[in-house]
Amino acid sequence: MCIYERIAMLGIVGAAMIGFVNPGNTAVRWLGLGAWGASAYKGLLLALEHVDYQFNPSPFKTCDLFVKFPDWAPLNEWAPWMFEAYGDCSKVVWEFLTLSMPQWLVIIFAGNLLALAIIVLSQFTKPKH
């Protein structure tokens, strides 16, 4: 799960790069906002599932033992130091302020969706000159 959540974070970075290319261009801006929303939403779903694995462990409900990437993008082969899975999703191996890493990711991805909603709404207001 950590690997897929990491990819969702990289998706947010990629969305920012898209928008940074030409924020004045409406199509590019909306493409970046759409990619941001898709990445943050998928990341939130993954983080919520990961939290469920940690706080409701079950031998019948576990994460994948090996990451699954499409044949055209075997990220775990290209950068195993970043994309190879080494742990058990149900174990809490890192905490900060009493929250596990997936719990923090829920907050981060939800915060991204909230920021996105504010920015999307701002796209429909006229700037004051």
Side-chain angles (χ1 to χ4, degrees):
M1 295 303 295
C2 297
I3 304 303
Y4 301 134
E5 292 158 350
R6 191 172 297 158
I7 291 169
M9 277 293 198
L10 291 174
I12 292 172
V13 171
M17 288 181 184
I18 291 170
F20 185 71
V21 168
N22 188 358
N25 182 306
T26 303
V28 171
R29 184 173 59 245
W30 281 103
L31 179 64
L33 291 171
W36 180 17
S39 296
Y41 179 72
K42 183 63 176 175
L44 179 61
L45 294 179
L46 289 165
L48 287 168
E49 185 178 353
H50 196 168
V51 168
D52 186 48
Y53 287 146
Q54 287 186 339
F55 294 98
N56 300 304
S58 167
F60 305 108
K61 187 174 65 171
T62 62
C63 60
D64 298 333
L65 292 176
F66 303 100
V67 291
K68 296 176 185 166
F69 292 114
D71 292 335
W72 54 269
L75 299 177
N76 57 324
E77 294 174 17
W78 295 343
W81 54 271
M82 185 170 189
F83 297 112
E84 193 61 50
Y86 297 107
D88 179 359
C89 295
S90 64
K91 291 185 179 166
V92 176
V93 295
W94 181 91
E95 282 186 329
F96 180 68
L97 299 175
T98 73
L99 296 177
S100 69
M101 183 269 304
Q103 289 174 305
W104 278 109
L105 286 175
V106 168
I107 293 168
I108 290 166
F109 287 124
N112 268 270
L113 288 172
L114 178 62
L116 174 66
I118 293 167
I119 290 171
V120 165
L121 289 174
S122 75
Q123 300 301 298
F124 299 107
T125 62
K126 294 187 189 274
K128 296 178 182 175
H129 296 292

